[in-house]
Amino acid sequence: MRGAVREEAGPRGRRDTDFRAELRGAGGWWRRKSSTAKVETYTRWSFHFFALAEFASVGVPFGSGVWQGPVLWLPLIMAAHCALSAVTASRALDWTRGRRPRPVRLMVAFALLTAAVAAVALWTAEHGPGGEEVDTAAGGVFGVALIFAACVTTLGVRGWRQALAVVAGYAAAAGALALLLGAPAPAVLVSVAAVLLGGGFMATTSVFSVWLLDTVYRLDEARETRARLAVAEERLRFGRDLHDVMGRNLAVIALKSELAVQLARRGRPEAVEQMIEVQRIARESQREVRDVVRGYREADLGVELLGAQGVLTAAGIECEVRGEVGGLPAEVQSALGWVVRETTTNVLRHGNAGRCAVQVRATGGKVVLTVENDGADGEGADGGGSRAGAGADGGGSGGLGSAGPGLTGPGSVGGGPVGGGSGLAGLAERLGKVGGTLEAGIAGAGVFRVVAEVPLVVEDSVASEVLS
C-alpha cells in the first residue's frame, strides 16, 4: 500500500515540478528585460490596451442587439480603426526612441480613417435607420473615435503646443462634421466640448507617458556614463600617481647618466660615483613603483564598504551594509575589499538590481563576506552554481556579472584551475592565496549571492605574496 502511494506521489511531484518550470519559462522573457525595457513594454502595451478599450466602449451594445442589420458595418469599420490605432501608436513610440522616421503617412491615413468613421457614425445617428438606441450608440462611436485618435496622434508630435494643436484640430473637425451633416447647434457645441475635454485628457496621458519613458532612458544612460567615468577617473588617478613617482626620478637618472658620460670621457673618477647614484635612484624608483601598484591593488574593507554603499545609493539601489570590520588583518581586508569593489561594479554595470545587501561576519576562525542583490535573471546550475557571477568582465546581466557555472573551493572557478586575470578568476586567485574560497550562484527567485570566506590567521609568506 505504501509503495503504491509512493508511486503515485512520484509522478505527481514530477508534474508539479514540470508545471513550475513552465511557469518560470513563461515569465522568463519579462525577467530578462532591463528596467528601461520593462517601462517601454508597459508603455507600449498600455496604448495597445487603449485600442481594445476603444472597441470595447462601442461594442457593448452588441449584447442588446443594437448592432444588427444595415448598421452592423459600423462596428466593423470601428474595429479597423482600432487596429490602425495600435499600429500607429507602436510606430510613433519607435519614432520617439529614434528607431525609425516619424510615421507621417501612417498618421495622415489614421486621421483620414478617423474622419471617415466619425462622419459615418454621425450620419447614422442623424439620418440612418434604427431607433433611439442606434442613434445613441452611433453618437458614442463618433465621440470615442475622435477622442482616442487625438490620444494616438499626440504620440507623433513633440511639445505641448503641438499636442494642443492636435486636440484642437480634432475638436474643430468634430464641430465641422456635425454642422455639415445638419446637427443642431447645441449638439455641435456638445460634440466640440466632449472631444476637446476627452481628447485633452488622453493627449496629456500620451505626452506624460512619452516624457516618463524618455526620463527613464536618460537616467539609464546617466548611470552607464557614471560607471564609465568612475573607471576613467581611477585610471587617471593611477596614471597620475605613477607619473608623480617616476617623472622626477627618471629626469634625475637621465641628468646623472649624462654627467657620468662626460666625466668618463675626461677620465675623471667621479663618473663611477655618478653611476652608483644612478643605480641607487633606479632601485629607489623600482621600490616606489611597487608601492604605487600595492596601493592601487590593496583595498581597505571599511572604505570599500562605505564607497559601495554610497555609489549604489546614488544609482538608486537600496544598499544595506551589516557587520564590523575593525581589527581584521590587513591581508584579509585587502582580499575582501577587492571582492566588494568587483561585485559593486558589476551590480551597477551588469545587473538590474533594486536592492543589495552586504554582510561581514567573523565565525569559526574565518571572516565571511556575503553580497546579495535582486534582479538576477540567470538560471541556476546544478550544485548551486549560476551563470551569473562576480566577474567584472562578465557579459551576462544576472546582477553581479557573468561567469562559468558553479564557483567553489579555494582558487577555483567551477572546480577548475584559475589563471590570472580579473573578474571571478582574479577574485578566486586572490582569495586562494590566503586560503579563502569564493562561491557564487542563484540563491532564490531573482536573487544572486556571492560568498567569500577568508581565514583570520594568514601565514606571513602568503600575506606578503598577496600584498605584493
Side-chain angles (χ1 to χ4, degrees):
M1 182 66 181
R2 292 180 180 178
V5 172
R6 289 177 182 176
E7 291 179 359
E8 292 179 359
R12 185 183 301 111
R14 286 193 296 270
R15 288 195 297 269
D16 293 341
T17 303
D18 294 342
F19 179 71
R20 288 194 295 268
E22 291 177 0
L23 288 180
R24 287 195 299 268
W29 70 274
W30 178 259
R31 291 194 298 268
R32 285 191 294 269
K33 289 179 176 292
S34 63
S35 297
T36 52
K38 289 178 180 177
V39 174
E40 181 179 352
T41 302
Y42 171 78
T43 303
R44 191 177 298 274
W45 281 100
S46 295
F47 284 101
H48 291 170
F49 174 77
F50 283 172
L52 296 177
E54 177 185 1
F55 183 76
S57 63
V58 300
V60 170
F62 267 118
S64 60
V66 174
W67 300 124
Q68 58 183 351
V71 296
L72 180 61
W73 45 268
L74 185 57
L76 297 181
I77 62 173
M78 191 61 178
H81 181 268
C82 295
L84 187 59
S85 172
V87 174
T88 305
S90 180
R91 299 291 179 86
L93 284 174
D94 287 340
W95 169 71
T96 61
R97 302 300 331 131
R99 297 172 187 158
R100 63 171 68 240
R102 180 184 298 189
V104 178
R105 295 182 178 178
L106 187 61
M107 292 169 61
V108 171
F110 179 64
L112 293 177
L113 180 59
T114 302
V117 171
V120 172
L122 189 58
W123 181 86
T124 302
E126 295 294 334
H127 309 288
E132 183 177 354
E133 292 184 355
V134 173
D135 296 344
T136 302
V141 172
F142 173 78
V144 168
L146 290 171
I147 291 174
F148 279 92
C151 170
V152 173
T153 306
T154 306
L155 293 174
V157 298
R158 292 191 185 277
W160 284 102
R161 292 184 178 180
Q162 295 184 12
L164 291 176
V166 169
V167 175
Y170 276 105
L177 287 174
L179 286 175
L180 289 176
L181 294 176
V188 173
L189 294 178
V190 170
S191 300
V192 172
V195 174
L196 192 61
L197 294 177
F201 174 78
M202 298 298 292
T204 302
T205 302
S206 298
V207 173
F208 178 77
S209 298
V210 173
W211 171 83
L212 181 62
L213 186 60
D214 290 340
T215 302
V216 169
Y217 269 98
R218 289 175 183 174
L219 288 176
D220 185 68
E221 293 174 358
R223 180 179 175 180
E224 293 179 356
T225 302
R226 180 163 47 191
R228 289 195 298 267
L229 288 177
V231 174
E233 183 178 357
E234 184 66 14
R235 290 174 178 172
L236 288 175
R237 186 197 67 81
F238 181 75
R240 181 176 62 250
D241 292 346
L242 192 61
H243 176 269
D244 293 341
V245 169
M246 294 299 298
R248 180 185 63 84
N249 291 351
L250 289 177
V252 174
I253 289 174
L255 180 61
K256 288 186 172 293
S257 298
E258 184 178 357
L259 178 59
V261 170
Q262 296 298 330
L263 292 175
R265 287 177 178 176
R266 297 175 184 178
R268 300 283 296 274
E270 292 86 348
V272 177
E273 297 179 359
Q274 294 297 326
M275 291 306 299
I276 292 176
E277 183 68 12
V278 168
Q279 186 181 32
R280 185 191 66 80
I281 296 174
R283 289 177 178 175
E284 182 69 15
S285 300
Q286 185 180 21
R287 183 188 64 79
E288 292 180 352
V289 169
R290 288 176 179 174
D291 290 339
V292 171
V293 174
R294 183 183 301 116
Y296 179 71
R297 289 185 176 179
E298 286 182 5
D300 181 81
L301 183 56
V303 173
E304 292 298 331
L305 289 174
L306 290 176
Q309 189 174 27
V311 170
L312 293 177
T313 302
I317 301 174
E318 180 185 356
C319 182
E320 179 185 3
V321 177
R322 295 177 304 198
E324 296 291 335
V325 299
L328 295 179
E331 60 272 14
V332 173
Q333 293 202 36
S334 177
L336 295 181
W338 194 260
V339 175
V340 173
R341 181 184 299 181
E342 290 287 343
T343 52
T344 301
T345 301
N346 287 279
V347 169
L348 289 172
R349 295 182 58 187
H350 302 298
N352 187 29
R355 182 181 179 277
C356 181
V358 184
Q359 182 182 20
V360 181
R361 55 188 175 90
T363 175
K366 60 184 177 181
V367 183
V368 181
L369 172 69
T370 304
V371 182
E372 287 185 354
N373 72 286
D374 59 5
D377 57 12
E379 294 292 334
D382 293 338
S386 172
R387 296 184 180 274
D393 300 330
S397 59
L400 295 176
S402 177
L407 174 104
T408 56
S412 66
V413 175
V418 177
S422 60
L424 275 177
L427 291 177
E429 179 182 7
R430 181 177 295 273
L431 294 178
K433 288 180 179 180
V434 295
T437 61
L438 184 69
E439 298 178 359
I442 297 294
V447 177
F448 193 86
R449 178 184 297 162
V450 173
V451 180
E453 297 182 0
V454 177
L456 280 172
V457 180
V458 182
E459 297 181 1
D460 293 338
S461 59
V462 175
S464 60
E465 181 181 3
V466 172
L467 297 176
S468 62

